[in-house]
């Protein structure tokens, strides 16, 4: 990622997290130094005042870097189940889950490759009750839905098995 793109991403995340205008101005001057950008990212993580702001910042980061959409509410989930005609592929993940982070780039690549399906992520720390209601007990768990009904599940960060599952259902 280019430094200027990273700086814009961090500024957008800081604004969503509620940084003051003076903090944002200070952040803009830091984009010349890669080390400063890394430090800024760490400061931003400490600055996030609420889970909702943190979730919005994460979603903005995903959109800016072309990643997979992260659902923020049960209402979003219910709307997708009700309205989506395509196969829905859900990655139940957590920021603290090492295997989840390792398979995330592969999941994003599969989302681009299998454009006929809708790929989303659900952070179990944000929507834990929903994850529990859907029977998620380990991360990562991948669930596939068609017309609002669960059609398949894969537990674990197994990219070849996930690819096979997608090929079977698309």
């Amino acid at each position: 990622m280019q430094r200027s793109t990273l700086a814009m991403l961090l500024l957008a995340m800081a604004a969503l997290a509620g940084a003051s205008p003076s903090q944002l101005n200070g952040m803009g001057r830091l984009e010349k130094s890669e080390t400063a950008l890394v430090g800024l990212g760490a400061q931003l993580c400490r600055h996030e005042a609420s889970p909702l702001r943190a979730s919005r910042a994460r979603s903005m980061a995903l959109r800016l870097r072309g990643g997979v959409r992260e659902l923020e509410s049960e209402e979003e989930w219910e709307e997708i189940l009700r309205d989506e005609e395509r196969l829905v592929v859900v990655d139940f993940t957590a920021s603290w889950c090492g295997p989840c982070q390792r398979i995330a780039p592969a999941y994003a690549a599969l989302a681009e490759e299998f454009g006929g399906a809708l790929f989303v992520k659900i952070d179990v720390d944000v929507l834990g009750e929903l994850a529990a209601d859907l029977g998620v007990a380990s991360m990562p768990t991948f669930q596939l839905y068609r017309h609002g009904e669960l059609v398949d599940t894969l537990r674990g960060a197994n990219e070849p098995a996930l690819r096979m599952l997608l090929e079977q259902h698309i």
Side-chain angles (χ1 to χ4, degrees):
M1 187 178 295
Q2 294 179 355
R3 287 181 186 168
S4 60
T5 304
L6 184 56
M8 288 175 28
L9 173 63
L10 289 170
L11 286 169
M13 290 173 62
L16 284 171
S20 70
S22 63
Q23 288 171 314
L24 291 175
N25 286 337
M27 290 175 187
R29 288 191 295 269
L30 294 174
E31 72 181 49
K32 299 294 181 196
S33 164
E34 197 167 49
T35 304
L37 285 173
V38 171
L40 175 59
Q43 288 175 2
L44 174 60
C45 289
R46 287 191 299 274
H47 177 75
E48 291 175 348
S50 73
L52 179 58
R53 283 187 180 156
S55 177
R56 285 183 183 153
R58 280 192 304 274
S59 291
M60 173 65 83
L62 286 171
R63 282 193 296 273
L64 288 173
R65 71 173 201 245
V68 175
R69 174 181 168 196
E70 185 174 320
L71 303 185
E72 297 180 8
S73 69
E74 288 191 31
E75 291 77 21
E76 278 184 288
W77 171 245
E78 291 165 4
E79 181 180 328
I80 286 172
L81 279 187
R82 182 182 62 243
D83 299 339
E84 187 58 51
E85 294 294 322
R86 300 175 288 172
L87 179 70
V88 177
V89 184
V90 186
D91 174 10
F92 291 91
T93 187
S95 60
W96 47 263
C97 167
C100 298
Q101 301 313 310
R102 282 192 296 278
I103 199 164
Y107 185 71
L110 289 169
E112 288 183 24
E113 182 179 340
F114 291 91
L118 173 65
F119 286 70
V120 297
K121 288 186 174 213
I122 294 179
D123 185 329
V124 298
D125 291 328
V126 175
L127 296 174
E129 191 172 315
L130 174 62
D133 290 347
L134 295 173
V136 175
S138 62
M139 272 75 64
T141 292
F142 301 93
Q143 291 185 343
L144 283 65
Y145 289 82
R146 188 176 301 281
H147 304 293
E149 299 294 323
L150 179 65
V151 294
D152 223 327
T153 299
L154 172 69
R155 289 176 182 80
N158 185 335
E159 182 183 352
L162 181 56
R163 174 178 293 281
M164 261 180 36
L165 207 60
L166 292 169
E167 289 170 351
Q168 177 184 347
H169 289 285
I170 288 189

